[in-house]
Amino acid sequence: MKFTLGHSARIISIVISIVMVAVFFFYIFYLVPYVSDTASAGDDTAENRKYHVLVVGKAENESFLQQIYTGAQQVSKKYDAVVELHVPESKAENMSLQVLLEYASFTNPDGIIAYIGESETNIKAPVNIDGKQIPLITVVQYHPDIPQVSFIGTNYSELGRKIAVESSAYLKGHGSLAIINTSSSNNPNYSTLMNSLINSLEEYTGIKTTISDFGLSQGATAFERRVENEIGADNIDLVVCLTTEDTIHAAQSLADMNNGRRIGIIGFGEGDIADMYLNRGIITELLSIDSPKIGETSMSELFEFIRYGYANSYINADVRIKKAGSR
């Protein structure tokens, strides 16, 4: 069978047409959905979100702030927001919270979540480039003079009652405990916690409570020596600590003691070192603020204010209880 030039041209034309149709359907059924999915994924990236939120605080609170940031980041997509954490790299580079807030104003965020320390006062609310106040959510310490949209922190009175309940449960209603006191008596939050704890423990008549006042200036070595000499020798069954530092020092002291008696520790705070002693069973229970939940709640209140112009002025943070041997 012979093929003329005309036949060849027609065959080539048909082949080209088939290829073009195949390419067309490949584009319609494969490339277009792929491009659409890629575009949708791109729209979901942080760079394309509508709002910008900063979490700020000092270097010494970085671990706590990191967890707040994690909680805020987990719900950021829900609010179409980018969340950033701004903490000085070291204590040597530390600066006042006011300076950190002023830095935040230059980035022009839609909201700020700030860790407020005990000594932070006379804070001025940051403003954006238009001179409008940036909504400020504060956490941990409450200061009525700070122009905050909402405060999320601890109900120290309720916390004291909760520690008393946990102490009684450990002692099964009978025994002796020592509360280690090293904090300043002029700290209103600490005073509220201490008073609530003592008053709540008085309800358990089978428990003998003593307060070991170590003072503010005790170094780690002196602290450990007093724990060994006083608590170790006084037939104390349980030690209660109200700060992270005291909890760790008490754990270090009791871990080194070898007097044949088991002394429990109920501590307050968080961090890798405290968790290590908890996992080793030296710390019996560790109570801490649910900081990731604070991040989530901060975002909820911030966007309640952004969208509707109001938010809850005061919210109690949840308390987590971790026990040795539990997972």
Side-chain angles (χ1 to χ4, degrees), residues 139-161:
V139 301
V140 181
Q141 298 288 341
Y142 177 71
H143 291 289
D145 56 327
I146 294 177
Q148 57 226 332
V149 166
S150 181
F151 167 76
I152 304 169
T154 307
N155 183 329
Y156 287 91
S157 181
E158 180 60 32
L159 177 60
R161 287 190 289 272

Side-chain angles (χ1 to χ4, degrees), residues 45-305:
T45 60
E47 290 77 6
N48 293 301
R49 293 182 184 176
K50 182 178 180 180
Y51 298 99
H52 178 207
V53 178
L54 275 182
V55 179
V56 302
K58 293 186 175 182
E60 60 259 33
N61 304 314
E62 182 176 6
S63 176
F64 190 82
L65 284 160
Q66 181 66 49
Q67 294 188 55
I68 292 176
Y69 164 77
T70 298
Q73 179 68 20
Q74 287 174 346
V75 297
S76 61
K77 182 179 178 181
K78 174 182 177 181
Y79 299 105
D80 195 16
V82 180
V83 180
E84 289 186 275
L85 174 63
H86 179 69
V87 180
E89 291 187 3
S90 67
K91 292 182 180 180
E93 298 177 7
N94 231 344
M95 55 195 74
S96 70
L97 181 63
Q98 186 64 57
V99 172
L100 289 171
L101 292 175
E102 289 170 359
Y103 160 82
S105 67
F106 288 113
T107 66
N108 208 38
D110 298 286
I112 297 173
I113 302 169
Y115 183 112
I116 304 296
E118 295 178 12
S119 61
E120 303 290 352
T121 56
N122 300 319
I123 297 296
K124 298 178 182 178
V127 296
N128 60 22
I129 57 176
D130 299 321
K132 294 182 180 179
Q133 183 172 319
I134 300 171
L136 177 64
I137 306 292
T138 61
V139 301
V140 181
Q141 298 288 341
Y142 177 71
H143 291 289
D145 56 327
I146 294 177
Q148 57 226 332
V149 166
S150 181
F151 167 76
I152 304 169
T154 307
N155 183 329
Y156 287 91
S157 181
E158 180 60 32
L159 177 60
R161 287 190 289 272
K162 186 166 292 190
I163 294 174
V165 169
E166 293 300 312
S167 299
S168 177
Y170 174 82
L171 295 171
K172 296 181 173 56
H174 293 85
S176 59
L177 69 81
I179 303 171
I180 293 181
N181 175 34
T182 59
S183 188
S184 171
S185 60
N186 59 14
N187 179 343
N189 293 326
Y190 189 90
S191 297
T192 299
L193 172 58
M194 178 66 80
N195 291 336
S196 174
L197 173 58
I198 293 172
N199 292 336
S200 298
L201 286 171
E202 288 177 351
E203 299 176 9
Y204 302 100
T205 56
I207 297 176
K208 177 185 176 183
T209 301
T210 60
I211 299 175
S212 296
D213 192 350
F214 281 22
L216 285 170
S217 59
Q218 294 286 340
T221 302
F223 186 107
E224 293 174 14
R225 188 181 301 116
R226 288 194 61 179
V227 168
E228 183 174 355
N229 293 339
E230 297 178 20
I231 293 177
D234 287 345
N235 295 319
I236 298 296
D237 302 304
L238 176 66
V239 175
V240 175
C241 304
L242 305 181
T243 69
T244 302
E245 185 177 19
D246 291 350
T247 301
I248 293 171
H249 284 166
Q252 291 169 338
S253 305
L254 296 180
D256 295 334
M257 286 175 54
N258 186 21
N259 60 3
R261 290 200 313 111
R262 164 67 177 168
I263 301 176
I265 301 176
I266 292 181
F268 180 76
E270 55 189 318
D272 294 340
I273 298 176
D275 284 340
M276 177 194 70
Y277 283 114
L278 180 73
N279 294 333
R280 289 172 57 186
I282 297 168
I283 294 176
T284 311
E285 292 187 27
L286 194 60
L287 286 78
S288 64
I289 304 302
D290 192 343
S291 40
K293 183 65 175 180
I294 288 180
E296 293 181 24
T297 305
S298 296
M299 292 288 283
S300 174
E301 294 307 311
L302 175 61
F303 282 91
E304 187 82 4
F305 182 82

